[in-house]
Amino acid sequence: MSTVDIVLAGARGHGRWHLDNIRRLQDKGIVRLAGVCELTPLGADEIPDGLGTPEQSADFGALLDSTGARIAVICTPIPTHTDLALTAAGKGVHVLLEKPPAPSYAEYRRMADGIAAAGVACQIGFQSLGSHAVPAIREMIAEGAVGEIVGIGGAGAWARAESYYRRAPWAGKRRLNGIDVIDGVLTNPLAHAVATGLALNGSSRAEDVTGVELELLRANDIESDDTSCVRVATAQGRQVTVAATLCAEHPGEPYVLIHGTHGRITFWYKQDRVLLQRADHGPEEYEYGRTDLLENLVEHLTDGEDLLVTPDATGAFMKVVEAIRLAPDPAPLPATAWQPLPDEERRVVPGIDALVAAAADTLALYSELGAGWAPPKEVST
């Protein structure tokens, strides 16, 4: 198999993970880092050993031309995703695009339609959907392991320091200079919980979403939301409810919970770990491998492997993003609802860990669970 040349756009922040992953694949002889696109070039100490001296430029299109790269990995601020993806597509370059794919449904459609018209491949970076647990859970569901599926919950209780919102001009923003950003807890840090829940419900495409209910709140002094829940009505007749916070008391592993008439399946998606609990059986726990999405994209180009996360497979997630974009600005939690943790320089919402778990367990929203600080829910169709 010939080595595939890659350009990485956005090599700092989360882009460092991509640099390390490209180094791993380069060591296997699968890819070569041909170029890095950053506004300020990387110093030698910022390029992992073994990646050589890739060409660097702030001009993405020119870099694609000069390197002849076949794949562009785009890990740049959310509002830039569509234009950069279309620049690559216009040059016949295939794309791995970080999640969320776009800040609005219109921008997502412009990206997806442009990619399709150009005839290039595009993988969206929902790494959890590369987990081998996903097809395994689908098989359990198809075999009736937990009876008929009645709904899907998702829970994410994470913590972020206040400095997290100072890491970039767009962090924690809904808009920047009049341009949509929509950097909230459900759309970015815990977006995987939403996308994975929808996928396991068989509701990945835009037309699968028939309604969205939201409760968007914030404890931090930001524009966007950091403590929110969403309930998605689907064409499959089942609800997908996800609760998430960046103000957890005791941060834990996020998970998706499949509710059946005779049991439940819990999927800790960052760990590729599954717990099957069903009537008349003891609990069964499984751990799975994972296919890296960049590796899958390379294998798609070289061996004809099916792509794991196409733009169309993120349409339902983008319907949720659009509902969040159109919703009123997140409500600030009353000062009595949160506490500062000075040692960790972050804010905590007492009781939120239990509320997040209860939402996934009951498919209820915060206001329905008795959270006095939760405003009436927003309903979008």
Side-chain angles (χ1 to χ4, degrees):
M1 182 175 68
S2 60
T3 301
V4 175
D5 282 356
I6 289 179
V7 160
L8 172 62
R12 295 189 173 97
H14 183 59
R16 289 194 292 268
W17 181 89
H18 284 287
L19 277 175
D20 289 337
N21 192 44
I22 291 168
R23 162 67 200 272
R24 180 183 67 84
L25 296 180
Q26 187 161 309
D27 285 349
K28 293 173 70 173
I30 295 172
V31 305
R32 183 181 76 91
L33 182 62
V36 171
C37 182
E38 268 288 353
L39 297 179
T40 304
L42 298 185
D45 61 334
E46 295 181 280
I47 301 175
D49 290 343
L51 284 177
T53 54
E55 187 178 337
Q56 298 200 56
S57 172
D59 187 327
F60 182 57
L63 190 60
L64 294 177
D65 288 339
S66 60
T67 60
R70 288 188 68 196
I71 291 176
V73 176
I74 298 172
C75 185
T76 54
I78 301 164
T80 67
H81 283 185
T82 292
D83 284 343
L84 291 180
L86 294 180
T87 295
K91 296 177 180 295
V93 178
H94 308 283
V95 176
L96 172 64
L97 181 62
E98 256 305 340
K99 60 81 190 160
S104 70
Y105 192 77
E107 282 291 274
Y108 155 74
R109 274 273 44 105
R110 186 164 73 90
M111 178 275 296
D113 293 344
I115 290 281
V120 298
C122 179
Q123 182 101 279
I124 307 297
F126 282 108
Q127 292 289 341
S128 59
L129 299 182
S131 176
H132 302 166
V134 171
I137 292 169
R138 285 176 173 148
E139 190 171 332
M140 291 177 193
I141 291 171
E143 290 173 350
V146 293
E148 185 180 344
I149 304 306
V150 295
I152 297 204
W158 276 2
R160 290 292 183 268
E162 293 185 40
S163 59
Y164 174 78
Y165 300 107
R166 299 192 294 270
R167 75 192 191 281
W170 55 270
K173 293 285 199 297
R174 280 172 67 76
R175 289 168 195 87
L176 184 63
N177 301 323
I179 297 170
D180 288 322
V181 176
I182 320 300
D183 179 37
V185 63
L186 292 168
T187 56
N188 196 6
L190 284 156
H192 283 89
V194 179
T196 307
L198 289 166
L200 289 173
N201 192 52
S203 309
S204 296
R205 295 177 178 272
E207 57 268 27
D208 293 323
V209 173
T210 59
V212 179
E213 298 170 86
L214 292 164
E215 293 180 356
L216 305 177
L217 303 123
R218 57 180 177 84
N220 284 279
D221 185 18
I222 56 174
E223 270 184 20
S224 205
D225 57 302
D226 59 34
T227 300
S228 299
C229 54
V230 60
R231 184 162 56 203
V232 184
T234 69
Q236 286 69 28
R238 298 179 295 269
Q239 294 177 332
V240 178
T241 300
V242 178
T245 186
L246 298 178
C247 304
E249 296 172 289
H250 305 288
E253 285 293 330
Y255 59 90
V256 170
L257 185 56
I258 296 97
H259 296 274
T261 51
H262 302 305
R264 65 200 308 184
I265 303 167
T266 308
F267 174 31
W268 290 273
Y269 58 79
K270 285 181 67 68
Q271 300 176 318
D272 303 309
R273 187 162 61 92
V274 172
L275 176 64
L276 172 61
Q277 298 166 289
R278 50 183 171 164
D280 303 322
H281 289 75
E284 302 163 58
E285 192 163 333
Y286 304 93
E287 289 191 14
Y288 295 90
R290 177 180 290 214
T291 297
D292 175 71
L293 297 183
L294 178 55
E295 196 163 358
N296 172 244
L297 175 57
V298 172
E299 289 172 348
H300 172 74
L301 300 180
T302 56
D303 300 331
E305 289 285 330
D306 288 342
L307 283 178
L308 288 170
V309 195
T310 63
D312 279 352
T314 64
F317 170 79
M318 284 306 308
K319 283 289 190 181
V320 174
V321 172
E322 183 71 355
I324 292 170
R325 185 183 78 86
L326 295 174
D329 287 345
L333 286 170
T336 53
W338 61 270
Q339 300 171 352
L341 269 191
D343 289 352
E344 298 180 31
E345 297 183 339
R346 70 182 185 90
R347 299 182 183 190
V348 169
V349 176
I352 191 61
D353 300 23
L355 275 171
V356 164
D361 204 40
T362 63
L363 308 181
L365 302 176
Y366 294 146
S367 61
E368 297 165 346
L369 292 168
W373 39 254
K377 60 182 175 287
E378 287 291 327
V379 180
S380 167
T381 54

